[in-house]
Amino acid sequence: MKLVLLSGGSGKRLWPLSNDARSKQFLKVLEDENGNLESMVQRVWRQLKKNNLIDDAIIATGKNQVEMIYSQIGEDTSTVSEPERRDTFPAIALATVYLYDLENVSPEEVITILPVDPYVEDRFFERIKDLENVIATSQADLALIGVTPTYPSEKYGYIVPKKQQDKDFYMVDYFKEKPDHELAQALIDQSALWNCGVFAFKLDYMLKVLKEKGLPTQYEALLKQYPILLKNSFDFEVVEKAQHIAAISYNGIWKDLGTWNVLTEEIPNYLVGKGVVDKDTKNTHVINELDIPITLIGINDAIVVASPDGILVSHKEASQKIKSYTHAIEGRPMYEERRWGWYRVLEYKKYPAGNEVLTKRIGINAGKNLSYQVHYKRNEVWTVIKGEGVLVLEDRISHIRVGDVIHIPLASKHAVRATTDMELIEVQTGSELVEEDIYRIVVSWKEIESIIQPNVMSK
């Protein structure tokens, strides 16, 4: 069995911590067994490892999240990235074709799709393993996992079982994705289960679905057509139309931590970050990523979140409404994690004459490096404020340390490798300060060393 973990979306209901680059699964607000902060993706990856499923797992994600995945769970993580976001059906189609065409996975192999961010107990993954046998025994096109609903939610899909049941699994009468409140209650009355977002099928089944839709089963060909694929969920496009569906139940903790009122149920500390919460305040969480303190007095049942992207103050029950307002406050991500470390935007300014100035604080982990790159629309000035490392500028090597100031003119090739944990203040000035103005020559330090003159030293 092969596992495909879906990592997409911007998690707008968790603004201002989440953005297009750092969506909800990457927020380090949960605690692991040792009390250390971890993200949802780190938690799930740890659980997969416990259940010996890590070697068969690949993450399907957007290209703007690949660096975050490498940063949080390792650069050796297998990924397949969408060229652009187009919902779960295109993402699953691309991942399936990738496994078939590039990884030579057999059409008879069972592929299991699951979200990268469910909040579940470890034994949930034992049920994941059971899906392979369900597909073989039931001869179903799809196998799902369901949990008993606790209220008539409009956010989930519903699995409606047939009356006659098998003791190990049951056949599904039909599947309904995100019904309204009235229909959701009626489905619960029919013993329907919430769909956990897990789908298992033989690879060959998905190939047949693609062929019926006139889509290619070769990876490069599908990649070329990706921008014109229908934006639709796998639930609507495949599950609701499938004729033979089997399901198994999971009787344990399962939550979608997609809103602040649900997520804070799993955050043990009422204060995360710098600040004070009055001892008489009840059921209020403060999550602060800024260096200035937040003091909260006399406000109950609230969520206060501060990040470089903005500040949210809301009653917990109303906090999910934030998704309706994020379109009015969208901007460049102010904080990102990368395979080499992280950066935080300190200030951005566009002047009437058209020139732009962007100031960043950049952290590079010891032993990591920025790629050998060049920009054509900006100059940069770096000031080293922590640690030391090795700079490559126009094929010349120099050692840099705290207090050094480095000028990087327009169109100059440059890279840096941190010897110890290192921080820079970077000031960009130019006509257009965008990530698209990064042209990478090579990425790894070994590649950089192979193309520069090894004996040319300065300083």
Side-chain angles (χ1 to χ4, degrees):
M1 181 172 68
K2 298 292 183 183
L3 296 180
V4 176
L5 284 76
L6 298 181
S7 176
S10 57
K12 291 181 179 180
R13 288 191 296 268
L14 293 178
W15 187 90
L17 258 59
S18 59
N19 54 43
D20 282 341
R22 184 178 60 152
S23 54
K24 66 176 183 178
Q25 60 266 33
F26 301 116
L27 305 181
K28 293 182 181 178
V29 292
L30 303 176
E31 284 192 359
D32 65 15
E33 298 156 331
N34 299 315
N36 300 313
L37 291 179
E38 67 176 353
S39 67
M40 300 178 204
V41 68
Q42 287 173 321
R43 174 186 165 91
V44 166
W45 205 249
R46 176 169 55 81
Q47 291 175 308
L48 288 173
K49 192 172 184 179
K50 275 186 181 179
N51 286 274
N52 299 314
L53 290 169
I54 214 80
D55 293 337
D56 295 313
I58 184 171
I59 298 181
T61 186
K63 61 181 181 180
N64 61 338
Q65 292 185 4
V66 172
E67 291 273 330
M68 187 75 80
I69 288 168
Y70 289 164
S71 171
Q72 293 204 354
I73 58 178
E75 293 186 51
D76 57 347
T77 306
S78 296
T79 62
V80 55
S81 58
E82 300 176 272
E84 60 181 75
R85 188 178 297 154
R86 299 201 70 78
D87 218 318
T88 55
F89 170 70
I92 291 171
L94 188 67
T96 304
V97 170
Y98 175 89
L99 291 172
Y100 170 67
D101 190 35
L102 298 190
E103 297 294 316
N104 298 315
V105 173
S106 167
E108 292 299 307
E109 186 81 49
V110 172
I111 309 298
T112 298
I113 313 293
L114 65 153
V116 78
D117 57 359
Y119 189 83
V120 293
E121 299 160 298
D122 290 345
R123 59 192 178 93
F124 178 80
F125 296 95
E126 290 297 328
R127 295 301 273 161
I128 292 285
K129 295 176 184 179
D130 292 337
L131 291 173
E132 187 170 22
N133 184 58
V134 170
I135 288 287
T137 305
S138 68
Q139 298 297 303
D141 296 327
L142 294 167
L144 314 177
I145 297 181
V147 295
T148 302
T150 53
Y151 65 98
S153 172
E154 300 173 23
K155 297 190 301 179
Y156 306 128
Y158 286 74
I159 303 167
V160 183
K162 291 182 177 179
K163 290 183 179 179
Q164 188 174 358
Q165 303 296 323
D166 187 282
K167 62 182 178 180
D168 296 320
F169 62 88
Y170 56 84
M171 299 306 295
V172 175
D173 189 13
Y174 65 96
F175 176 89
K176 184 63 181 175
E177 175 67 1
K178 296 180 180 178
D180 59 30
H181 184 273
E182 185 177 352
L183 179 54
Q185 183 59 62
L187 294 173
I188 292 174
D189 294 340
Q190 299 175 53
S191 301
L193 302 176
W194 279 339
N195 177 36
C196 292
V198 176
F199 314 105
F201 50 81
K202 283 188 178 180
L203 191 150
D204 186 55
Y205 172 73
M206 192 61 186
L207 296 179
K208 288 177 182 176
V209 169
L210 295 177
K211 289 173 183 176
E212 288 171 0
K213 295 179 180 296
L215 297 172
T217 56
Q218 291 75 41
Y219 179 73
E220 291 298 332
L222 187 61
L223 206 58
K224 289 179 181 177
Q225 291 193 25
Y226 206 80
I228 61 172
L229 292 186
L230 183 66
K231 277 188 176 182
N232 210 351
S233 72
F234 188 80
D235 309 72
F236 283 123
E237 198 66 22
V238 177
V239 183
E240 283 196 348
K241 299 173 184 177
Q243 299 299 310
H244 305 288
I245 304 176
I248 57 176
S249 61
Y250 163 67
N251 298 314
I253 295 173
W254 176 84
K255 290 185 178 182
D256 176 11
L257 305 184
T259 59
W260 281 117
N261 59 323
V262 178
L263 178 57
T264 50
E265 291 175 1
E266 307 305 329
I267 300 176
N269 297 317
Y270 287 103
L271 173 64
V272 179
K274 188 178 289 188
V276 176
V277 176
D278 178 57
K279 60 182 177 62
D280 294 326
T281 300
K282 297 179 176 61
N283 191 34
T284 289
H285 280 78
V286 173
I287 301 172
N288 184 13
E289 289 191 332
L290 304 179
D291 289 331
I292 56 175
I294 293 175
T295 301
L296 195 73
I297 302 172
I299 301 176
N300 299 326
D301 303 311
I303 176 69
V304 178
V305 188
S307 85
D309 282 0
I311 297 173
L312 168 69
V313 181
S314 172
H315 190 280
K316 282 188 176 179
E317 290 301 319
S319 61
Q320 59 187 324
K321 293 181 181 178
I322 185 60
K323 186 177 181 179
S324 304
Y325 297 101
T326 53
H327 69 280
I329 47 181
E330 284 183 347
R332 68 164 63 235
M334 304 294 279
Y335 174 85
E336 289 193 43
E337 289 181 30
R338 297 294 181 91
R339 58 175 176 79
W340 40 260
W342 53 270
Y343 77 78
R344 175 168 290 171
V345 174
L346 302 179
E347 185 180 51
Y348 168 72
K349 180 74 174 179
K350 185 171 184 177
Y351 290 93
N355 62 307
E356 300 178 20
V357 178
L358 179 69
T359 305
K360 289 181 178 180
R361 182 178 173 184
I362 299 174
I364 309 171
N365 298 329
K368 300 293 185 178
N369 68 276
L370 305 186
S371 62
Y372 201 28
Q373 57 188 248
V374 64
H375 316 296
Y376 295 106
K377 296 182 179 180
R378 68 179 185 244
N379 302 288
E380 295 179 349
V381 177
W382 294 353
T383 302
V384 183
I385 59 172
K386 177 184 176 181
E388 58 184 85
V390 180
L391 171 75
V392 180
L393 181 59
E394 285 295 305
D395 294 343
R396 295 179 64 85
I397 299 176
S398 59
H399 297 283
I400 55 176
R401 57 188 62 83
V402 173
D404 286 346
V405 178
I406 301 102
H407 296 263
I408 302 172
L410 190 79
S412 298
K413 296 177 292 184
H414 59 282
V416 64
R417 181 177 188 270
T419 307
T420 64
D421 286 347
M422 189 177 187
E423 290 187 20
L424 312 169
I425 298 296
E426 176 184 271
V427 180
Q428 303 175 6
T429 55
S431 59
E432 188 179 13
L433 307 181
V434 292
E435 292 296 300
E436 288 74 18
D437 188 35
I438 300 176
Y439 299 90
R440 293 179 174 86
I441 301 164
V442 291
V443 175
S444 75
W445 192 252
K446 186 175 181 180
E447 290 174 313
I448 294 171
E449 289 181 321
S450 71
I451 64 173
I452 64 175
Q453 301 175 35
N455 295 321
V456 178
M457 300 289 292
S458 65
K459 202 170 179 181

